[in-house]
Amino acid sequence: MESLDIETVDSAELSDPAFIEGLPGVGHVGKLAAEHILDQYDGTLVRRLYSHDLPPQVDVGHDGIAELTHLEFHAVETEGRDLLVLTGDHQAQTNEGHYRLASAVLDVAEEFGCEELYALGGVPTGELIEEYAVLGAATQESIVEALEAEDVEFREDEPAGGIVGVSGLLLGLGARRDVEAACLMGETSGYLVDPKSARAVLEVLEAMLGMDVDYASLEERADEMEEVIGKIQEMEQQQQANVPSDDDLRYIG
């Protein structure tokens, strides 16, 4: 195998498609959102991307079949815009690898005629939250204005340290190719897989791309997450109750 190999799986004719990236990251927000789109719509797997920059492993499916780790591109038709959706279980392991993968991803997006791009992810707050804001970054002022109309927040110097990995590079390298690009980042604690944050991101995409998203399965996962959070909070309260006071720590010696 070449160090980077793009396998053609199927063909698809898409009309003015938007590109959606949802790879693993903080809270798995982008991955959850992208996979929810694929769960709802009957997409077609059109490309697989294999690379030496991905982890050296195989992924084992429910049927026990092992397959070399890779990224997948799905062509999706919705009641709104057509989409090309990128999903996968891994990102690159090195700085150079991130650049190679992002460039290859943009090549596939261009092949299918995508001139608009949305990278999806999460931004950690470090604490449990109830109101889920969506932060944004974009390559053009017109995109910023359109996203602000959908209540996306643009905060100077956030996320701290910039947007790393493929999501950030798709904006940076995409701008150099004249691709209109934005990154949508749902606030999340960063502790757990966060379906509520994924929903907040999807609601923005729904408005921008004219989709009609059913959130039932995400709501079920959110309920499961609430149960986990409740148990965590209960454990924290028990630990605090068991912390000895200063009087308890005194001794006669």
Side-chain angles (χ1 to χ4, degrees), residues 10 25 50 61 63 117-118 124 141 145 148 156-157 176 199 220 225 231 237 246-247:
D10 206 342
Y50 298 91
D63 53 5
L117 180 155
Y118 293 91
E141 186 175 346
E145 293 173 352
E148 284 181 330
E156 187 175 0
D157 297 327
R176 296 178 64 84
R199 173 170 181 163
E220 290 179 4
M225 185 189 74
K231 291 179 180 178
Q237 291 171 358
D246 290 342
D247 290 338

PDB file of all heavy atoms in Angstrom, residues 10 25 50 61 63 117-118 124 141 145 148 156-157 176 199 220 225 231 237 246-247:
ATOM      1  N   ASP A  10     -17.627   3.694  -4.628  1.00  0.00           N
ATOM      2  CA  ASP A  10     -18.850   3.859  -5.411  1.00  0.00           C
ATOM      3  C   ASP A  10     -18.829   5.255  -6.016  1.00  0.00           C
ATOM      4  O   ASP A  10     -17.973   6.095  -5.683  1.00  0.00           O
ATOM      5  CB  ASP A  10     -20.084   3.674  -4.527  1.00  0.00           C
ATOM      6  CG  ASP A  10     -21.308   3.214  -5.309  1.00  0.00           C
ATOM      7  OD1 ASP A  10     -21.312   3.371  -6.549  1.00  0.00           O
ATOM      8  OD2 ASP A  10     -22.255   2.706  -4.673  1.00  0.00           O
ATOM      9  N   GLY A  25     -12.781  13.963  18.537  1.00  0.00           N
ATOM     10  CA  GLY A  25     -12.182  15.110  19.204  1.00  0.00           C
ATOM     11  C   GLY A  25     -12.801  15.255  20.588  1.00  0.00           C
ATOM     12  O   GLY A  25     -13.347  14.300  21.144  1.00  0.00           O
ATOM     13  N   TYR A  50      -6.952   5.518   3.191  1.00  0.00           N
ATOM     14  CA  TYR A  50      -5.985   4.786   4.015  1.00  0.00           C
ATOM     15  C   TYR A  50      -4.692   5.594   4.062  1.00  0.00           C
ATOM     16  O   TYR A  50      -4.289   6.191   3.066  1.00  0.00           O
ATOM     17  CB  TYR A  50      -5.699   3.408   3.417  1.00  0.00           C
ATOM     18  CG  TYR A  50      -6.902   2.501   3.338  1.00  0.00           C
ATOM     19  CD1 TYR A  50      -7.703   2.472   2.207  1.00  0.00           C
ATOM     20  CD2 TYR A  50      -7.223   1.653   4.396  1.00  0.00           C
ATOM     21  CE1 TYR A  50      -8.805   1.630   2.134  1.00  0.00           C
ATOM     22  CE2 TYR A  50      -8.325   0.806   4.328  1.00  0.00           C
ATOM     23  CZ  TYR A  50      -9.108   0.806   3.194  1.00  0.00           C
ATOM     24  OH  TYR A  50     -10.204  -0.025   3.125  1.00  0.00           O
ATOM     25  N   GLY A  61     -15.010  -5.193  13.647  1.00  0.00           N
ATOM     26  CA  GLY A  61     -16.437  -4.916  13.632  1.00  0.00           C
ATOM     27  C   GLY A  61     -17.224  -5.871  14.498  1.00  0.00           C
ATOM     28  O   GLY A  61     -16.684  -6.799  15.112  1.00  0.00           O
ATOM     29  N   ASP A  63     -19.098  -8.160  13.607  1.00  0.00           N
ATOM     30  CA  ASP A  63     -19.064  -9.516  13.070  1.00  0.00           C
ATOM     31  C   ASP A  63     -17.702 -10.177  13.256  1.00  0.00           C
ATOM     32  O   ASP A  63     -17.487 -11.303  12.791  1.00  0.00           O
ATOM     33  CB  ASP A  63     -19.419  -9.505  11.577  1.00  0.00           C
ATOM     34  CG  ASP A  63     -18.557  -8.522  10.784  1.00  0.00           C
ATOM     35  OD1 ASP A  63     -17.626  -7.926  11.383  1.00  0.00           O
ATOM     36  OD2 ASP A  63     -18.805  -8.351   9.581  1.00  0.00           O
ATOM     37  N   LEU A 117     -17.628  24.237   3.238  1.00  0.00           N
ATOM     38  CA  LEU A 117     -17.101  23.216   4.149  1.00  0.00           C
ATOM     39  C   LEU A 117     -17.436  23.560   5.590  1.00  0.00           C
ATOM     40  O   LEU A 117     -17.315  24.720   6.004  1.00  0.00           O
ATOM     41  CB  LEU A 117     -15.589  23.123   3.958  1.00  0.00           C
ATOM     42  CG  LEU A 117     -14.761  22.144   4.780  1.00  0.00           C
ATOM     43  CD1 LEU A 117     -13.481  21.796   4.018  1.00  0.00           C
ATOM     44  CD2 LEU A 117     -14.379  22.699   6.152  1.00  0.00           C
ATOM     45  N   TYR A 118     -17.850  22.547   6.361  1.00  0.00           N
ATOM     46  CA  TYR A 118     -18.097  22.705   7.789  1.00  0.00           C
ATOM     47  C   TYR A 118     -17.318  21.637   8.543  1.00  0.00           C
ATOM     48  O   TYR A 118     -17.570  20.436   8.370  1.00  0.00           O
ATOM     49  CB  TYR A 118     -19.588  22.574   8.110  1.00  0.00           C
ATOM     50  CG  TYR A 118     -20.436  23.694   7.557  1.00  0.00           C
ATOM     51  CD1 TYR A 118     -21.023  23.585   6.293  1.00  0.00           C
ATOM     52  CD2 TYR A 118     -20.625  24.867   8.281  1.00  0.00           C
ATOM     53  CE1 TYR A 118     -21.789  24.616   5.773  1.00  0.00           C
ATOM     54  CE2 TYR A 118     -21.394  25.897   7.769  1.00  0.00           C
ATOM     55  CZ  TYR A 118     -21.966  25.773   6.512  1.00  0.00           C
ATOM     56  OH  TYR A 118     -22.718  26.797   5.998  1.00  0.00           O
ATOM     57  N   PRO A 124     -13.717  22.478  25.029  1.00  0.00           N
ATOM     58  CA  PRO A 124     -13.907  22.072  26.433  1.00  0.00           C
ATOM     59  C   PRO A 124     -14.080  23.270  27.362  1.00  0.00           C
ATOM     60  O   PRO A 124     -13.408  24.288  27.231  1.00  0.00           O
ATOM     61  CB  PRO A 124     -12.618  21.315  26.752  1.00  0.00           C
ATOM     62  CG  PRO A 124     -11.592  21.923  25.843  1.00  0.00           C
ATOM     63  CD  PRO A 124     -12.322  22.285  24.581  1.00  0.00           C
ATOM     64  N   GLU A 141     -15.811  36.874   6.170  1.00  0.00           N
ATOM     65  CA  GLU A 141     -16.709  37.667   7.005  1.00  0.00           C
ATOM     66  C   GLU A 141     -18.167  37.355   6.725  1.00  0.00           C
ATOM     67  O   GLU A 141     -19.005  37.345   7.635  1.00  0.00           O
ATOM     68  CB  GLU A 141     -16.443  39.155   6.769  1.00  0.00           C
ATOM     69  CG  GLU A 141     -17.229  40.069   7.694  1.00  0.00           C
ATOM     70  CD  GLU A 141     -16.861  41.540   7.523  1.00  0.00           C
ATOM     71  OE1 GLU A 141     -15.822  41.816   6.893  1.00  0.00           O
ATOM     72  OE2 GLU A 141     -17.627  42.393   8.004  1.00  0.00           O
ATOM     73  N   GLU A 145     -21.117  36.363   9.482  1.00  0.00           N
ATOM     74  CA  GLU A 145     -22.404  37.041   9.623  1.00  0.00           C
ATOM     75  C   GLU A 145     -23.572  36.058   9.537  1.00  0.00           C
ATOM     76  O   GLU A 145     -24.546  36.144  10.298  1.00  0.00           O
ATOM     77  CB  GLU A 145     -22.539  38.126   8.553  1.00  0.00           C
ATOM     78  CG  GLU A 145     -21.546  39.275   8.735  1.00  0.00           C
ATOM     79  CD  GLU A 145     -21.570  40.257   7.577  1.00  0.00           C
ATOM     80  OE1 GLU A 145     -22.254  39.938   6.567  1.00  0.00           O
ATOM     81  OE2 GLU A 145     -20.917  41.318   7.667  1.00  0.00           O
ATOM     82  N   GLU A 148     -23.620  34.034  12.777  1.00  0.00           N
ATOM     83  CA  GLU A 148     -24.074  34.853  13.905  1.00  0.00           C
ATOM     84  C   GLU A 148     -25.593  34.965  13.906  1.00  0.00           C
ATOM     85  O   GLU A 148     -26.211  35.024  14.977  1.00  0.00           O
ATOM     86  CB  GLU A 148     -23.435  36.232  13.847  1.00  0.00           C
ATOM     87  CG  GLU A 148     -21.982  36.254  14.296  1.00  0.00           C
ATOM     88  CD  GLU A 148     -21.384  37.644  14.248  1.00  0.00           C
ATOM     89  OE1 GLU A 148     -21.827  38.459  13.391  1.00  0.00           O
ATOM     90  OE2 GLU A 148     -20.479  37.927  15.052  1.00  0.00           O
ATOM     91  N   GLU A 156     -13.015  36.158  20.675  1.00  0.00           N
ATOM     92  CA  GLU A 156     -11.586  36.371  20.419  1.00  0.00           C
ATOM     93  C   GLU A 156     -10.748  35.449  21.298  1.00  0.00           C
ATOM     94  O   GLU A 156     -11.012  35.281  22.490  1.00  0.00           O
ATOM     95  CB  GLU A 156     -11.215  37.827  20.709  1.00  0.00           C
ATOM     96  CG  GLU A 156      -9.786  38.171  20.307  1.00  0.00           C
ATOM     97  CD  GLU A 156      -9.494  39.649  20.502  1.00  0.00           C
ATOM     98  OE1 GLU A 156     -10.406  40.386  20.940  1.00  0.00           O
ATOM     99  OE2 GLU A 156      -8.369  40.073  20.207  1.00  0.00           O
ATOM    100  N   ASP A 157      -9.755  34.826  20.669  1.00  0.00           N
ATOM    101  CA  ASP A 157      -8.810  33.930  21.354  1.00  0.00           C
ATOM    102  C   ASP A 157      -9.465  32.686  21.922  1.00  0.00           C
ATOM    103  O   ASP A 157      -8.915  32.052  22.828  1.00  0.00           O
ATOM    104  CB  ASP A 157      -8.068  34.673  22.481  1.00  0.00           C
ATOM    105  CG  ASP A 157      -7.212  35.807  21.948  1.00  0.00           C
ATOM    106  OD1 ASP A 157      -6.687  35.664  20.831  1.00  0.00           O
ATOM    107  OD2 ASP A 157      -7.095  36.827  22.639  1.00  0.00           O
ATOM    108  N   ARG A 176      -6.846  28.677   1.385  1.00  0.00           N
ATOM    109  CA  ARG A 176      -5.850  28.830   0.331  1.00  0.00           C
ATOM    110  C   ARG A 176      -6.330  28.245  -0.996  1.00  0.00           C
ATOM    111  O   ARG A 176      -5.737  28.490  -2.040  1.00  0.00           O
ATOM    112  CB  ARG A 176      -4.536  28.179   0.755  1.00  0.00           C
ATOM    113  CG  ARG A 176      -3.895  28.849   1.980  1.00  0.00           C
ATOM    114  CD  ARG A 176      -2.621  28.158   2.410  1.00  0.00           C
ATOM    115  NE  ARG A 176      -1.587  28.253   1.395  1.00  0.00           N
ATOM    116  CZ  ARG A 176      -0.758  29.291   1.252  1.00  0.00           C
ATOM    117  NH1 ARG A 176      -0.851  30.338   2.061  1.00  0.00           N
ATOM    118  NH2 ARG A 176       0.156  29.293   0.305  1.00  0.00           N
ATOM    119  N   ARG A 199     -25.989  17.900  19.384  1.00  0.00           N
ATOM    120  CA  ARG A 199     -27.277  18.410  18.918  1.00  0.00           C
ATOM    121  C   ARG A 199     -27.202  19.922  18.672  1.00  0.00           C
ATOM    122  O   ARG A 199     -27.745  20.421  17.680  1.00  0.00           O
ATOM    123  CB  ARG A 199     -28.377  18.100  19.927  1.00  0.00           C
ATOM    124  CG  ARG A 199     -29.692  18.761  19.544  1.00  0.00           C
ATOM    125  CD  ARG A 199     -30.868  18.308  20.356  1.00  0.00           C
ATOM    126  NE  ARG A 199     -32.093  18.985  19.907  1.00  0.00           N
ATOM    127  CZ  ARG A 199     -33.315  18.587  20.190  1.00  0.00           C
ATOM    128  NH1 ARG A 199     -33.503  17.497  20.925  1.00  0.00           N
ATOM    129  NH2 ARG A 199     -34.369  19.253  19.748  1.00  0.00           N
ATOM    130  N   GLU A 220     -32.072  10.152  23.378  1.00  0.00           N
ATOM    131  CA  GLU A 220     -31.907   8.936  24.179  1.00  0.00           C
ATOM    132  C   GLU A 220     -30.493   8.855  24.746  1.00  0.00           C
ATOM    133  O   GLU A 220     -30.292   8.524  25.923  1.00  0.00           O
ATOM    134  CB  GLU A 220     -32.204   7.711  23.321  1.00  0.00           C
ATOM    135  CG  GLU A 220     -33.669   7.556  22.938  1.00  0.00           C
ATOM    136  CD  GLU A 220     -33.907   6.349  22.063  1.00  0.00           C
ATOM    137  OE1 GLU A 220     -32.941   5.585  21.819  1.00  0.00           O
ATOM    138  OE2 GLU A 220     -35.055   6.161  21.612  1.00  0.00           O
ATOM    139  N   MET A 225     -26.484   9.938  29.201  1.00  0.00           N
ATOM    140  CA  MET A 225     -25.393  10.766  29.711  1.00  0.00           C
ATOM    141  C   MET A 225     -25.783  11.437  31.024  1.00  0.00           C
ATOM    142  O   MET A 225     -24.971  11.536  31.953  1.00  0.00           O
ATOM    143  CB  MET A 225     -24.998  11.833  28.682  1.00  0.00           C
ATOM    144  CG  MET A 225     -23.782  12.664  29.092  1.00  0.00           C
ATOM    145  SD  MET A 225     -23.478  14.075  28.004  1.00  0.00           S
ATOM    146  CE  MET A 225     -24.790  15.178  28.501  1.00  0.00           C
ATOM    147  N   LYS A 231     -24.605  10.104  38.565  1.00  0.00           N
ATOM    148  CA  LYS A 231     -23.810   9.197  39.399  1.00  0.00           C
ATOM    149  C   LYS A 231     -22.476   9.832  39.782  1.00  0.00           C
ATOM    150  O   LYS A 231     -21.999   9.688  40.909  1.00  0.00           O
ATOM    151  CB  LYS A 231     -23.585   7.888  38.651  1.00  0.00           C
ATOM    152  CG  LYS A 231     -24.845   7.059  38.477  1.00  0.00           C
ATOM    153  CD  LYS A 231     -24.579   5.789  37.701  1.00  0.00           C
ATOM    154  CE  LYS A 231     -25.866   4.981  37.534  1.00  0.00           C
ATOM    155  NZ  LYS A 231     -25.649   3.746  36.742  1.00  0.00           N
ATOM    156  N   GLN A 237     -20.277  14.187  45.855  1.00  0.00           N
ATOM    157  CA  GLN A 237     -20.887  14.625  47.112  1.00  0.00           C
ATOM    158  C   GLN A 237     -20.521  13.698  48.262  1.00  0.00           C
ATOM    159  O   GLN A 237     -20.260  14.150  49.382  1.00  0.00           O
ATOM    160  CB  GLN A 237     -22.410  14.688  46.937  1.00  0.00           C
ATOM    161  CG  GLN A 237     -22.876  15.800  46.004  1.00  0.00           C
ATOM    162  CD  GLN A 237     -24.342  15.704  45.675  1.00  0.00           C
ATOM    163  OE1 GLN A 237     -25.034  14.775  46.109  1.00  0.00           O
ATOM    164  NE2 GLN A 237     -24.848  16.661  44.892  1.00  0.00           N
ATOM    165  N   ASP A 246     -10.766  19.635  60.278  1.00  0.00           N
ATOM    166  CA  ASP A 246      -9.504  19.909  60.975  1.00  0.00           C
ATOM    167  C   ASP A 246      -9.493  19.259  62.352  1.00  0.00           C
ATOM    168  O   ASP A 246      -8.468  18.753  62.812  1.00  0.00           O
ATOM    169  CB  ASP A 246      -9.304  21.422  61.112  1.00  0.00           C
ATOM    170  CG  ASP A 246      -9.017  22.075  59.768  1.00  0.00           C
ATOM    171  OD1 ASP A 246      -8.641  21.345  58.837  1.00  0.00           O
ATOM    172  OD2 ASP A 246      -9.177  23.311  59.675  1.00  0.00           O
ATOM    173  N   ASP A 247     -10.671  19.271  63.015  1.00  0.00           N
ATOM    174  CA  ASP A 247     -10.739  18.652  64.345  1.00  0.00           C
ATOM    175  C   ASP A 247     -10.467  17.152  64.265  1.00  0.00           C
ATOM    176  O   ASP A 247      -9.815  16.562  65.129  1.00  0.00           O
ATOM    177  CB  ASP A 247     -12.103  18.887  64.981  1.00  0.00           C
ATOM    178  CG  ASP A 247     -12.293  20.343  65.379  1.00  0.00           C
ATOM    179  OD1 ASP A 247     -11.269  21.038  65.547  1.00  0.00           O
ATOM    180  OD2 ASP A 247     -13.447  20.785  65.483  1.00  0.00           O
TER     181      ASP A 247
END
